[in-house]
Amino acid sequence: MTDNIKLIGKDGLRLDGRKADELRPIKIQAGVLDNADGSAYLEWGNNKVLVAVYGPREAQPKYLQNPAKAIVQVTYNMAAFSSDERVRPGPNRRATEISKITAEALENVILTNQFPRASIDVYIEVIEADAGTRCAGLTAASVAVADAGIPMMNMVSSCAAGKIDGQIVLDLGKKEDNFGQADLPIGLVARTGEIVLLQMDGHLTQDEFKTALKMAMEACKHIHGLQQEALRSRYAVNFADMDDGEAEQ
Ligand code: ADP
């Protein structure tokens, strides 16, 4: 993170025309893959993320099994074509880190103790990346887990706030992420206010941290509404199909 280019104009707007507390547009669709137990597709600004969930199914290899609860295994992957920079295919330290923190966030809400020895496998494929993919991945993964019918207390909603040109802003874009001063991605259980993911890159004062955290939490509550809406429309469509079928008989 460096601060050598101007990211906020004289009009107070950011490079893409957003206000400080404005999210990029977000679209979420649940149940997009037939072969997965649950799935979701999410567009968040220029980010495009596809998530497939399998399970609960017997954990393999067997030594991974926990006799008391299911394990949650997340594989985050950036497609080789997801960025204009070259993305080296295959696992790397960053992907391993994002997979781990996403699994830990989801373990907080999934009722894993109902499925001893099982595994819940979550595959996050980033098709296009434009900063904020861990938040996009976790948000979509929560919808896909719910779509799989896996019992969970609540969904996790995720969003980042950060600092650019000395100002706290919501949901950093790629240039803001590259040339800003701080990035604070969080995962929130909107209904309880519990934070299940918090990372920070860069520097913030205590007051700035509080402001950024509050901004990201507010945004997570809004995103939670979009996640619920995605599930509602998926199942509303299915119910409508069933009604049609029954009507025809
Ligand atoms: P996040 O995507 O959660 O913001 P980072 O802060 O690590 O995670 O990355 C910011 C952005 O930088 C990514 O969204 C992506 O656009 C780009 N990026 C990260 N890693 C790579 C990579 N290996 N190759 C190309 N672009 C990358």
Side-chain angles (χ1 to χ4, degrees), residues 78 83 85-87 94 129-134 174 177:
M78 268 177 68
S83 170
E85 296 155 46
R86 188 185 125 77
V87 180
R94 178 177 168 275
D130 195 39
T133 59
R134 73 194 62 209
K174 183 78 188 297
D177 188 85

Side-chain angles (χ1 to χ4, degrees), residues 15-230:
L15 292 179
D16 58 5
R18 279 188 291 153
K19 295 189 210 118
D21 60 353
E22 199 175 332
L23 278 168
R24 290 173 285 181
I26 300 176
K27 274 195 278 183
I28 313 175
Q29 203 184 338
V32 291
L33 298 171
D34 285 341
N35 289 342
D37 295 321
S39 59
Y41 173 68
L42 176 147
E43 288 183 4
W44 183 324
N46 294 328
N47 290 309
K48 294 190 176 68
V49 177
L50 188 58
V51 179
V53 170
Y54 296 85
R57 61 185 179 184
E58 189 183 12
Q60 293 290 354
K62 279 204 160 127
Y63 68 80
L64 288 176
Q65 292 183 358
N66 183 330
K69 59 179 188 173
I71 54 167
V72 179
Q73 303 193 84
V74 174
T75 309
Y76 164 102
N77 181 54
M78 268 177 68
F81 51 83
S82 63
S83 170
D84 49 6
E85 296 155 46
R86 188 185 125 77
V87 180
R88 215 164 146 222
N92 53 47
R93 278 176 60 173
R94 178 177 168 275
T96 306
E97 172 215 322
I98 296 178
S99 302
K100 182 173 185 293
I101 53 140
T102 305
E104 287 170 0
L106 292 172
E107 273 166 9
N108 278 281
V109 288
I110 298 175
L111 300 178
T112 51
N113 54 1
Q114 291 192 2
F115 307 101
R117 302 186 191 283
S119 177
I120 292 160
D121 302 323
V122 179
Y123 296 92
I124 300 173
E125 290 292 324
V126 179
I127 299 162
E128 269 186 32
D130 195 39
T133 59
R134 73 194 62 209
C135 299
L138 176 54
T139 298
S142 296
V143 174
V145 171
D147 180 52
I150 295 170
M152 63 204 297
M153 283 181 285
N154 287 296
M155 282 188 283
V156 180
S157 314
S158 180
C159 184
K163 184 177 168 186
I164 57 168
D165 286 359
Q167 202 178 316
I168 301 301
V169 297
L170 186 65
D171 183 25
L172 273 60
K174 183 78 188 297
K175 281 215 173 91
E176 296 176 330
D177 188 85
N178 286 352
F179 300 106
Q181 293 129 11
D183 190 22
L184 179 78
I186 68 159
L188 181 80
V189 183
R191 221 177 271 164
T192 60
E194 189 188 354
I195 292 172
V196 291
L197 181 150
L198 193 149
Q199 297 188 292
M200 193 170 111
D201 189 13
H203 298 279
L204 292 174
T205 64
Q206 279 193 24
D207 282 347
E208 286 170 343
F209 176 83
K210 282 184 197 154
T211 308
L213 185 61
K214 191 161 175 259
M215 204 182 249
M217 285 174 78
E218 282 309 312
C220 284
K221 288 178 196 160
H222 170 72
I223 291 165
H224 184 240
L226 301 178
Q227 291 171 297
Q228 286 178 314
E229 195 45 52

